[in-house]
Amino acid sequence: VPSADERLDPEALLALARYRMPFGKHKGVYLSELPEAYLVWFKQQGWPPGQLGRMMASVYEVKLNGLEDILRRVRQIEGG
């Protein structure tokens, strides 16, 4: 999970908004659009290593707090 400074970084927020699932059933789907149950499963089993795991953990926290619309808005502003 990113540090407080990374969470406030606009570029980190943009990267999180643009990040897509790189494999599996949901390949190509924005992480913020992944089903909540899928993220819950990963949280219980363990996040993937590296950047993907950090991004998925961040999206889990965003969804847990009902804020995923922020990531959608960021993509709209950026034309994504």
Side-chain angles (χ1 to χ4, degrees):
V1 176
S3 70
D5 288 339
E6 290 173 321
R7 286 189 297 245
L8 298 175
D9 177 11
E11 288 191 26
L13 182 62
L14 181 56
L16 185 60
R18 289 180 172 169
Y19 206 94
R20 293 177 184 261
M21 190 66 185
F23 62 82
K25 176 181 175 179
H26 300 290
K27 182 177 182 175
V29 173
Y30 289 113
L31 293 185
S32 62
E33 302 302 321
L34 290 172
E36 190 171 333
Y38 189 67
L39 293 168
V40 169
W41 183 86
F42 266 105
K43 179 171 177 29
Q44 292 170 346
Q45 300 300 312
W47 301 113
Q51 182 181 19
L52 175 60
R54 290 189 302 274
M55 294 278 201
M56 289 178 77
S58 294
V59 167
Y60 172 81
E61 292 296 326
V62 166
K63 283 183 168 271
L64 189 65
N65 290 288
L67 301 172
E68 61 265 31
D69 194 50
I70 290 171
L71 299 178
R72 289 183 195 116
R73 290 180 189 181
V74 167
R75 280 196 303 274
Q76 287 177 341
I77 290 168
E78 292 297 316

